[in-house]
């Protein structure tokens, strides 16, 4: 996460709301070799203190969960390159603006009988966002198919003890300079969700 405190002033509630809305991140755990990383959808409690997800049994992280693991769940949001020319002032340098929230805590396997409920809650959350499409539910699966598939995955939960957000939105620039850059990011940004990033740059305090 960026060390500049100008980019790390967002209240915890904003960071939690962002992570809950994204619902997808990088689960990272340390090992004797290179860290292990898995891309996972997740559910986060309203207070941000419990993240729930599932892993394929053959996932190297799942294989390490015979005992609880310290882990970091990195949630990436909008990001874009920012050209020095976009500020309209001299002596600037290239940079990359972005939004990211990290959740840190201990991951444990959950009882296998909790898996079906977890999958139902996960699918319900994302299907709700597709309305007016009728929501997909596990009841649409053929008899026995869901049970066979669930044998290949395990439910997990992280007890979150640290929530850390970086909202790098050119807050270290004068307002008019930041707003000029936001206009250019909106029109010419490269990365992910440049228009959304530009909107946050215009209103960095939310």
């Amino acid at each position: 996460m960026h060390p500049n405190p100008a980019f790390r002033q967002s209240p915890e509630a904003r960071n939690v709301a962002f992570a809950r809305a994204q619902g997808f991140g990088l689960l990272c755990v340390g090992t004797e070799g290179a860290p292990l990383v898995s891309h996972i959808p997740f559910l986060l409690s309203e207070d941000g203190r419990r993240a729930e997800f599932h892993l394929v049994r053959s996932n190297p992280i799942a294989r390490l969960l015979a005992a609880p693991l310290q882990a970091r769940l990195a949630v990436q949001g909008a990001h874009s390159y920012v050209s020095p020319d976009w500020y309209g002032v001299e002596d600037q340098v290239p940079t990359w603006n972005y939004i990211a929230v990290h959740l840190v805590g201990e991951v444990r396997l959950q009882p296998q009988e909790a898996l079906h409920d977890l999958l139902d809650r996960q699918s319900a959350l994302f299907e709700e966002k597709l309305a007016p499409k009728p929501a997909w539910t596990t009841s649409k699966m053929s008899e026995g198919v869901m049970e066979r598939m669930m044998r290949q995955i395990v439910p997990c939960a992280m007890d979150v003890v640290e929530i850390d957000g970086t909202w790098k939105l050119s807050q270290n620039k004068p307002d008019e300079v930041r707003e000029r850059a936001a206009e250019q990011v909106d029109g010419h940004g490269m990365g992910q969700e440049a228009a959304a990033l530009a909107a946050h740059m215009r209103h960095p305090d939310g």
Side-chain angles (χ1 to χ4, degrees):
M1 304 296 276
H2 202 288
N4 189 332
F7 307 139
R8 302 178 68 176
Q9 298 299 315
S10 290
E12 182 172 292
R14 189 185 191 193
N15 291 328
V16 169
F18 166 81
R20 280 170 55 85
Q22 292 295 109
F24 190 80
L26 300 177
L27 180 67
C28 311
V29 302
T31 66
E32 291 183 0
L36 298 175
V37 179
S38 288
H39 301 74
I40 60 166
F42 64 89
L43 295 175
L44 185 62
S45 62
E46 289 188 10
D47 64 0
R49 294 300 163 178
R50 182 175 174 84
E52 299 175 90
F53 52 92
H54 63 274
L55 297 172
V56 177
R57 285 185 183 276
S58 57
N59 186 305
I61 295 177
R63 291 174 174 173
L64 293 175
L65 282 172
L69 281 178
Q70 292 295 316
R72 182 179 298 268
L73 181 53
V75 186
Q76 175 71 58
H79 60 86
S80 176
Y81 174 73
V82 181
S83 170
D85 295 330
W86 292 352
Y87 294 115
V89 293
E90 298 297 322
D91 298 325
Q92 302 298 305
V93 295
T95 193
W96 204 278
N97 279 359
Y98 64 91
I99 301 167
V101 169
H102 288 190
L103 310 173
V104 177
E106 193 168 69
V107 175
R108 291 182 171 88
L109 285 176
Q110 299 302 293
Q112 194 67 17
E113 55 267 26
L115 178 59
H116 203 303
D117 176 67
L118 168 60
L119 298 176
D120 282 343
R121 287 185 289 116
Q122 276 193 299
S123 61
L125 174 68
F126 298 117
E127 286 287 322
E128 181 182 14
K129 298 178 182 180
L130 300 177
K133 181 189 85 68
W136 179 91
T137 66
T138 54
S139 64
K140 294 185 176 182
M141 301 287 286
S142 299
E143 184 177 356
V145 174
M146 188 71 182
E147 289 69 23
R148 289 198 299 273
M149 296 181 74
M150 287 196 302
R151 287 197 287 270
Q152 305 304 313
I153 58 180
V154 293
C156 306
M158 172 192 279
D159 293 323
V160 179
V161 297
E162 180 183 334
I163 301 170
D164 188 14
T166 291
W167 299 66
K168 187 173 179 292
L169 305 169
S170 300
Q171 301 98 313
N172 56 334
K173 310 292 184 187
D175 289 349
E176 66 275 13
V177 173
R178 174 175 42 77
E179 289 167 7
R180 279 197 295 269
E183 287 299 316
Q184 296 299 319
V185 169
D186 201 356
H188 307 287
M190 59 186 79
Q192 175 180 302
E193 299 181 282
L197 182 69
H200 283 297
M201 289 174 65
R202 294 185 183 102
H203 306 284
D205 295 328

